[in-house]
Amino acid sequence: QVQLVESGGDLVQAGGSLRLSCAATGSIRSINAMGWYRQAPGKQRELVASITSGASTNYADSVKGRFAISRDNAKNTVYLQMNSLKPEDTAVYYCYARLITTQYLTFARDYWGQGTQVTVSS
């Protein structure tokens, strides 16, 4: 029943900005962490940014200083503000969540969104 719904991907020129959103819906008791991964054509999926329940953040070196992850716990939503976008940021961006449902109270499970396309033109 849990699903992650992403939005915000678009085509943008180099130097522009985008804001991605991801809302977790369903029978959720608590969320341990949420974040964003991305996968470019011909490359492996990589971590972009993550944020824990304690608000600790982690960023890939390639996006530090340009991207910012934030959350709204009341809405079970995570955001990724992307500034100074570069063509190499072009990828499908996937939302990720590690959470505990009301059905399985002692185990956290991982969930993934369907992905949203970000394309940065030069």
Side-chain angles (χ1 to χ4, degrees):
Q1 293 182 344
V2 173
Q3 64 176 334
L4 307 181
V5 182
E6 302 145 316
S7 63
D10 207 347
L11 171 65
V12 65
Q13 293 183 349
S17 298
L18 287 173
R19 192 190 194 202
L20 306 183
S21 299
C22 174
T25 64
S27 301
I28 300 169
R29 183 174 182 84
S30 62
I31 298 178
N32 294 352
M34 296 187 76
W36 294 91
Y37 287 71
R38 68 185 181 187
Q39 187 167 20
K43 296 184 178 181
Q44 291 184 308
R45 187 174 299 187
E46 64 175 351
L47 174 69
V48 178
S50 63
I51 185 167
T52 68
S53 60
S56 177
T57 59
N58 186 43
Y59 295 93
D61 289 340
S62 60
V63 307
K64 287 181 179 178
R66 300 189 297 120
F67 292 9
I69 190 169
S70 61
R71 66 180 186 179
D72 186 334
N73 290 337
K75 298 179 179 179
N76 290 334
T77 299
V78 65
Y79 306 93
L80 185 67
Q81 179 66 46
M82 305 186 294
N83 299 322
S84 301
L85 284 163
K86 304 175 181 179
E88 50 262 44
D89 295 319
T90 296
V92 177
Y93 285 70
Y94 296 91
C95 181
Y96 157 84
R98 177 169 291 178
L99 55 83
I100 298 173
T101 69
T102 57
Q103 185 175 9
Y104 301 102
L105 298 177
T106 59
F107 294 95
R109 300 180 68 184
D110 295 341
Y111 294 85
W112 294 88
Q114 294 298 307
T116 184
Q117 178 71 50
V118 172
T119 302
V120 184
S121 64
S122 59

